[in-house]
């Protein structure tokens, strides 16, 4: 088995593209021994992951919304899905919005401006271009040390203020509303305020409090 894995890794090294800085997927779960990979890590295209006996990993791709559970074998991370040798992979499409998963500051400020122009006493619906989360409890990526403020744009909910401290963040870089017992309202549109930056987003009208794949509720504010 070791020789087969070694051969597969060799083939992957020949076929793998140069590592990209932009992450392709996020690690949602790790079971067993998987060297160099941890829960909530980002992985880039070209990354090779070796899974030992009885080990498994769950990857969610930010671009394709493909969620993979891979058991054993060797994994080559792609841009939209993985290539797996000597292992088993189960794939499913999950609700997610790539605009929320990789929101740039420029996009954020533009969406915030659109939100302010479109939401008011005469507004009949939430702008369709707003990044959408499919869970009522966002998973927010942000640097620790600041203060995160969540405001509903129509003012129908109390403002949520969250000090971002290492001890309250997963891996020191993610604030999990589900873990903190906080949630937002399905169909609501919001502003996430972090320092001088403004990020507009909305919660899908069909979102529930049931466990939601990470990629469907991920809001990256870095």
């Amino acid at each position: 088995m070791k020789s087969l894995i070694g051969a597969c890794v060799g083939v992957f090294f020949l076929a793998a593209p140069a590592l990209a800085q932009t992450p392709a997927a996020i690690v949602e779960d790790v079971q067993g021994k998987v060297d160099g990979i941890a829960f909530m890590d980002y992985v880039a295209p070209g990354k090779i992951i070796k899974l030992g006996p009885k080990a498994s990993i769950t990857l969610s791709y930010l671009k394709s919304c493909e969620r993979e559970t891979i058991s054993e074998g060797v994994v080559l991370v792609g841009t939209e899905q993985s290539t797996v040798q000597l292992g088993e992979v189960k794939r499913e499409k999950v609700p997610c919005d790539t605009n929320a998963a990789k929101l740039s500051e420029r996009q954020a400020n533009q969406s915030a401006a659109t939100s302010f122009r479109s939401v008011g006493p005469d507004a009949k619906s939430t702008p369709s271009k707003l990044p959408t989360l499919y869970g009522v409890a966002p998973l927010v990526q942000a640097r620790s040390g600041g203060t995160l403020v969540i405001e509903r744009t129509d003012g129908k909910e109390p403002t949520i203020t969250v000090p971002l401290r290492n001890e309250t963040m997963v891996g020191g870089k993610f604030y999990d509303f589900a873990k903190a017992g906080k949630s937002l309202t399905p169909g609501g549109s919001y502003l996430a305020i972090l320092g001088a930056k403004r990020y507009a987003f909305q919660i899908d009208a069909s979102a529930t409090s049931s466990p939601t794949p990470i990629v469907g509720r991920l809001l990256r504010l870095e």
Side-chain angles (χ1 to χ4, degrees), residues 151-165:
E151 293 181 351
R152 183 157 172 172
T153 54
D154 60 10
K156 291 184 177 180
E157 295 175 31
T159 296
I160 299 174
T161 302
V162 179
L164 299 177
R165 300 189 296 266

Side-chain angles (χ1 to χ4, degrees), residues 12-162:
F12 277 167
F13 270 123
L14 291 174
L19 290 178
Q21 294 299 317
T22 301
I26 188 169
V27 178
E28 287 207 20
D29 186 49
V30 178
Q31 298 293 327
K33 185 178 180 181
V34 184
D35 292 337
I37 293 293
F39 173 62
M40 300 299 287
D41 279 352
Y42 285 114
V43 289
K47 173 72 175 177
I48 294 173
I49 304 169
K50 293 186 287 184
L51 305 177
K54 299 183 180 180
S56 66
I57 189 170
T58 299
L59 299 177
S60 283
Y61 276 82
L62 305 178
K63 182 178 179 180
S64 64
C65 301
E66 194 89 51
R67 190 171 187 253
E68 303 176 335
T69 300
I70 305 166
S71 302
E72 303 186 354
V74 184
V75 181
L76 173 63
V77 177
T79 56
E80 297 188 14
Q81 68 175 37
S82 305
T83 301
V84 180
Q85 296 285 346
L86 303 178
E88 295 183 0
V89 56
K90 295 180 181 179
R91 294 187 174 96
E92 62 175 332
K93 285 281 190 180
V94 299
C96 83
D97 185 344
T98 58
N99 290 323
K102 51 184 179 182
L103 191 65
S104 70
E105 181 180 350
R106 180 180 178 184
Q107 290 171 325
N109 289 333
Q110 287 175 343
S111 65
T114 300
S115 177
F116 275 127
R117 287 196 301 268
S118 304
V119 177
D122 298 325
K124 296 183 179 180
S125 62
T126 302
S128 59
K129 291 185 179 181
L130 284 180
T132 302
L133 302 185
Y134 291 87
V136 296
L139 180 72
V140 181
Q141 179 185 344
R143 298 184 183 216
S144 62
T147 298
L148 173 65
V149 177
I150 302 292
E151 293 181 351
R152 183 157 172 172
T153 54
D154 60 10
K156 291 184 177 180
E157 295 175 31
T159 296
I160 299 174
T161 302
V162 179

